[in-house]
Every structure is written in structure tokens, then in C-alpha cells.
């Protein structure tokens, strides 16, 4: 277990390969991956569902030496639910594909992971309606979530940001990355400073479902969840909207560094843009929903090439919670 | 690569563990796994979706020495679509969680697998609306499918079989298992007898979507797809319906043995039960839909303990396509 690695190895899979995969899937087939957080499926009979899948893999997204099997199930579920939050959708149901190493203890491990899925299911009101368990070389938890936009409203895409929009984040970032750092530095049996907070931030992140719903009702133009790092995810939102941004400031979670806030990922805070006129209602709306006041961090600009923090270019590579 | 192994190792995961997982998920949470082929989710605004997830894992469900990456993507998709077929549902959309080993060629492998997913998507009219690609120790393809029952009809469960019902299968079984046997015996570069058919049966199975729809319209009481072997899957249907069965005969695919027909799995033929009065319309309905006439293989009986083939007890363990 070493220090966080640059994101670009996984980037190779997630961005470039996905563009190739989109080509293979053809023009008649809808979005795969990064264009939006979730796909929208029209259902005969009147409604529609918002659907997304998210996987966590042992040795890539988590390390069973640092978080428990139940934490892993929780994290996988919340990662998928966060995609619904980023569309302003409410959860309807989840399906879980679980792989565990074959042999002794495989059943117990599967049940322990699913107990964390069950906790997340209960916490988010998202029943598990299907699943599949297989033996495999390492643990993989792939969670598909189905959601709905309340009141038949439209989901919030990544592509709607307009020049002059305020850029808002629902809370301080970097807590998960800082938690990972603290967990890695801790010696088993002798808890280090802040270990409890680290465990909570890294092992038990929470999808911001109420925040996403409130942002959508407030008229958010574009929204994304911070799953791979505030910098990278904001670049993706700006790419989808063909705009740039000027960030004035970034709220950093207690105990985290600015680098962790920009590149840490897995905080699942939401970033959204709002017309300046809607800003007035921001604190009131979130307050009325019992939520922390969001933080304005910058402004959307027309030039897609202008993407700065305090006047300096903001790199698009973040870091991820790589293990090993 | 050896001979097919008894199913019970995977059974431990799929049946016993799933019962434990169902316990963990709690009474407020809907079915996980084997009770039915897919879950049903009511959609606000009207309609409902039938949803299922199915995974294939390298070294467990397939061997890249025997089938191509594209075949693997195809097989994973058809395995999931077969769950919709078994409910009498039509596909609406798919989401794919793909894991490929990291390092050189990982992007190419991901794209090759997805090209098979795209072929299955096109062949079945089921667009891919979401996906996720991760690095992992081995290849995992988890496909979630969403479907709908045409005309707002009810999906066909496993639990509706009634005494006196005829038991019907949509076609001969064992082709996939026989194909695997032929592929294993073949020497690279010197195709053996029947290799083309073996490749088609094992590497390119087809979900019986039209057959499932026709059976549902005809009033099928209970239905299941033959994914793990005719014997095992029929036992599951009988378990869910709390009935027994007497099989008179089983149609065996060309080149396959009776054992392969009973225990081979992955043929994706459908088994359903019908009231005797509906039997008259069977050939006509399937013929009108351009489908092969299904084969009556036996009768449902009231005693759950009576489960026979030609008067002898039919064991519930099948075999699976284990590799290695």
C-alpha cells in the first residue's frame, strides 16, 4: 500500500477506451459512460427510469485491509446512488452483481459484503430487487441503480452549464482521500489521530440524494458528482457543456489538503451550475430541506480553454484512491 | 482445461449463500436471485420494468482460449436477456459493468468484448444505455437488462405451475455443453468435426425472447430459462411452485448426450407449464410467430417429492460450463 497514484492509468480505461466503446456501440445506441452520470430509459405505460451502473474492484477501488467487506458493499452502493443524485433523481431499485474469490469463506464474504449493500439500501430507501453471485479471482461489486425524477421532471445533465452561471459545490472536498491517507498511516491495533473520522469519510461515503433533488428543483443547469476528483469532474462537466470556468476557491474538508480536495474523489459531493438569478434562493432551499448551505466556488465562462483556479490553469488529471 | 465439473461448488454460492444474502437484505427488501428470473419495479408515472443482472467471469463461465472476447460479450448479454425471455418480457435497455485485466492491451480487450455486447444489443433490439469499465484481475462482464411486458401484461413467474399442467420446452437441450466438449477436444488450427456448430451453440447462444413472449400470451403458468441445466432449472421451477413433475422424454440437441441435455445449461431454451386446455393452441401460436414447435416433455404433479424422468428420480444437480 503506497501513496495515491496519478489517475492516468485508470483514465486510459475510463475516458479513451470508453470513446472507442461508444464507437463500437454505434450511432443507434445511447450513451455509454462519461457523457452523463446515468442513462434515461422511457418505459411503455408512461414513466421513465434513470439508470446507472458503478463497479468497485478489490485492489483498484478498495483494499480489504483498510475497509471491511460491509464497507465495500456500502461504498459500491453509494457510488452508484451518487450517479442518481447527480441527475437529481430519486432511487427506485438496485441490482447487484457480486464476485468473490472461490474457496473457503466465499459464502461468508459474500454475505458480509451484502450486509453493507443492505445498510446502504435501507439508508437510501433503495430496495435490492435482483442480484447475481459468482466466484472470481478478486472481489468485484457492480451495482446497477434505477431511479426516477420526482414529479415527472427532467433529469439534470452535465451539458447545460451556461456562461455567467455560478458554480456551486454541496460541501468541502478531500475528506475521503484524507481518510485513506490516515488509514494507510495507521498501525493495526493502535488507532492514529482522526481515525474514526477517516473511517467514516473513506469507508462510509454518502450519496447526496437530497442535495441533488434540491439543486434540480432550484433549476440547476448542469450537475455532476465528485467521484474522481473535483478538478477532473468539473472538467468533464465543462467538456459536456463546451464552456470554461474560473474557480475562486475550493472548500477543503477538515484534515485534507488542497490537492486532496481537488483530486481525491469519492467524496460524492455534487457540483452544479445555476443562473446568477437563482443564487438568491440557494441557502433558503437547502436550509428548508435540512441541508448544509452549499458553497459558491466560481463562475462559468464562455471560453472552453479558460479553466482556472485563482487565475492559474487547473490541470484535468486528478488522483484516485488506488491501492497497492 | 478439463472435463465439466459437478455443479455443487458454484451451487454453494448461488443457492445457499443467496438464501443467506436474502436474510441480510431483510424482509422489506425484494427478491435477490433465484426466486424468479428478474425483479419487477413499479415506475412512478406509469408502467413497470422487469430487471435482471447476470455476470460471466473468465475461468468460471468462459475461457478466452475457447471463445473470443466478442463471443464473451455476446454470451454475457444473452444470458441476461434470457432472464427477460423467461418472464415473457421484451428488452428495453442494458447496462454493462466490464472488468478487464490492467496493462497492455486492456483497452483493446475491452473494446473487443463490447463489440460482442453491441452485436447482441443489435440482434435483440436492446440499446446499451450505461456502462462502467474497470481494471481487475480477470475479465468480468456483468450485464443488467431492463425490460417491459408488452401491453401492460403480467410477467410470468416461476411459481405458477399447477398439477396437471403440461411441461413444455422450446427446443432440444445440451447443444452448448456438447459444443464446449467439442471445442475442448479440438486442436488449434485443425478444426475437428462439428466445430462450426459447436462454436455457434457454445459461443453464440440466443435468448428466446419471441418464444417467451409467445408462451406468455398463450397463458403459461410458470416459466424459467435453462441457464444451469434442464434438470436443475426445472427443479427450481417446481420448488417455486411447490409441485413435482413427471418427465416422459427430453429432446437432446444434435451431437449432445442425454447428460448434457439434462445438466449442460446455457442453452437458454425456455421451460414453461400450460394448462392442458391451452396445449391445443401451442403449435399454432408458435408457428404463427415463425418459431419452432415446442416439445411437451412431461406433466406437473401435486406431490413436490415426485420428480422423475421415465419413472426414475431426476437428481437436482446439473453440471455447469466450468473451465480449468
Amino acid at each position: 500500500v503506497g501513496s495515491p497514484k496519478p489517475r492516468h492509468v485508470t483514465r486510459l480505461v475510463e475516458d479513451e477506451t470508453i470513446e472507442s466503446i461508444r464507437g463500437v456501440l454505434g450511432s443507434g445506441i445511447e450513451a455509454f459512460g462519461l457523457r452523463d452520470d446515468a442513462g434515461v430509459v422511457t418505459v411503455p405505460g408512461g414513466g421513465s427510469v434513470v439508470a446507472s451502473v458503478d463497479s468497485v474492484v478489490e485492489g483498484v477501488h478498495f483494499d480489504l485491509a483498510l475497509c471491511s467487506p460491509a464497507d465495500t458493499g456500502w461504498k459500491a452502493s453509494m457510488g452508484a446512488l451518487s450517479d442518481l443524485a447527480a441527475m437529481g433523481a430519486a432511487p427506485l431499485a438496485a441490482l447487484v452483481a457480486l464476485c468473490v474469490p472461490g474457496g473457503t469463506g466465499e459464502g461468508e464474504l459474500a454475505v458480509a459484503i451484502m450486509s453493507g449493500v443492505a445498510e446502504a439500501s435501507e439508508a437510501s430507501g433503495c430496495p435490492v430487487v435482483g442480484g447475481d453471485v459468482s466466484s472470481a479471482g478478486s472481489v468485484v461489486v457492480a451495482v446497477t441503480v434505477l431511479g426516477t425524477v420526482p414529479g415527472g421532471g427532467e433529469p439534470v445533465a452535465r451539458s447545460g452549464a451556461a456562461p455567467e452561471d455560478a458554480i456551486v459545490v454541496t460541501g468541502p472536498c478531500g475528506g475521503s482521500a484524507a481518510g485513506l491517507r490516515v488509514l494507510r498511516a495507521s498501525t493495526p491495533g493502535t488507532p492514529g489521530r482522526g481515525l474514526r473520522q477517516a473511517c467514516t469519510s473513506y469507508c462510509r461515503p454518502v450519496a447526496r440524494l437530497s442535495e441533488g433533488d434540491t439543486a434540480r428543483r432550484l433549476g440547476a443547469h448542469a450537475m455532476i458528482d465528485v467521484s474522481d476528483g473535483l478538478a477532473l469532474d468539473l472538467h468533464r462537466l465543462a467538456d459536456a457543456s463546451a464552456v470554461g470556468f474560473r474557480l475562486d476557491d475550493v472548500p477543503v474538508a477538515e484534515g485534507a489538503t488542497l490537492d486532496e480536495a481537488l483530486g481525491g474523489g469519492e467524496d460524492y459531493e455534487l457540483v452544479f451550475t445555476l443562473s446568477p438569478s437563482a443564487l438568491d434562493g440557494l441557502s433558503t432551499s437547502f436550509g428548508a430541506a435540512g441541508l448544509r448551505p452549499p458553497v459558491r466556488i466560481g463562475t462559468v465562462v464562455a471560453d472552453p480553454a479558460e479553466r482556472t483556479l485563482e487565475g492559474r490553469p487547473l490541470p484535468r488529471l486528478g488522483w484516485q484512491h488506488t491501492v497497492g
Side-chain angles (χ1 to χ4, degrees), chain A:
Chain A
V1 174
S3 57
K5 291 177 181 175
R7 176 88 206 173
H8 59 268
V9 175
T10 303
R11 286 301 86 218
L12 184 83
V13 174
E14 289 195 3
D15 282 356
E16 295 177 25
T17 298
I18 281 182
E19 283 307 316
S20 304
I21 287 173
R22 289 175 55 84
V24 166
L25 290 174
S27 58
I29 290 169
E30 296 176 40
F32 184 98
L34 303 177
R35 291 294 162 89
D36 265 311
D37 292 280
V40 181
V41 180
T42 302
V43 178
S48 66
V49 294
V50 177
S52 183
V53 60
D54 200 52
S55 309
V56 300
V57 178
E58 186 181 6
V60 178
H61 302 95
F62 67 91
D63 180 346
L64 283 174
L66 296 179
C67 57
S68 74
D71 291 339
T72 301
W74 173 283
K75 279 166 72 85
S77 299
M78 286 296 176
L81 287 162
S82 181
D83 288 331
L84 295 183
M87 305 287 281
L92 281 176
L95 300 99
V96 183
L98 174 61
C99 298
V100 290
T104 311
E106 120 189 287
E108 289 77 3
L109 179 58
V111 172
I113 291 169
M114 288 306 300
S115 72
V117 169
E119 287 177 71
S121 165
E122 173 120 12
S124 59
C126 183
V128 177
V129 300
D132 181 82
V133 185
S134 298
S135 296
S138 52
V139 174
V140 178
V141 192
V143 180
T144 301
V145 285
L146 309 182
T148 182
V149 179
E154 287 295 308
V156 183
R158 293 181 182 176
S159 55
E164 317 286 323
D165 275 6
I167 303 172
V168 174
V169 64
T170 51
C173 297
S176 178
L180 175 60
R181 171 170 47 78
V182 171
L183 287 171
R184 280 174 167 161
S186 72
T187 311
T190 56
R193 268 174 69 93
L195 200 60
R196 180 182 298 268
Q197 180 58 42
C199 286
T200 302
S201 301
Y202 177 67
C203 299
R204 294 282 170 158
V206 175
R208 304 306 195 276
L209 289 159
S210 296
E211 288 83 346
D213 183 58
T214 305
R216 181 186 56 76
R217 291 175 195 272
L218 200 60
H221 287 164
M223 186 151 58
I224 192 168
D225 66 319
V226 180
S227 54
D228 292 330
L230 179 61
L232 184 57
D233 288 315
L234 187 54
H235 272 287
R236 288 175 175 155
L237 184 150
D239 291 344
S241 297
V243 296
F245 55 78
R246 287 180 200 143
L247 299 190
D248 311 313
D249 194 14
V250 167
V252 179
E254 195 182 330
T257 66
L258 178 61
D259 274 358
E260 285 167 343
L262 288 171
E266 289 191 10
D267 287 313
Y268 299 125
E269 297 294 349
L270 301 175
V271 183
F272 57 94
T273 83
L274 273 180
S275 67
S277 62
L279 261 186
D280 290 342
L282 187 62
S283 294
T284 316
S285 300
F286 275 69
L291 304 169
R292 287 183 303 195
V295 181
R296 179 179 182 168
I297 60 172
T299 306
V300 176
V301 300
D303 180 4
E306 182 179 353
R307 299 186 181 183
T308 58
L309 171 62
E310 293 180 341
R312 284 166 307 195
L314 183 68
R316 69 177 295 121
L317 287 183
W319 283 262
Q320 72 163 343
H321 294 196
T322 22
V323 294

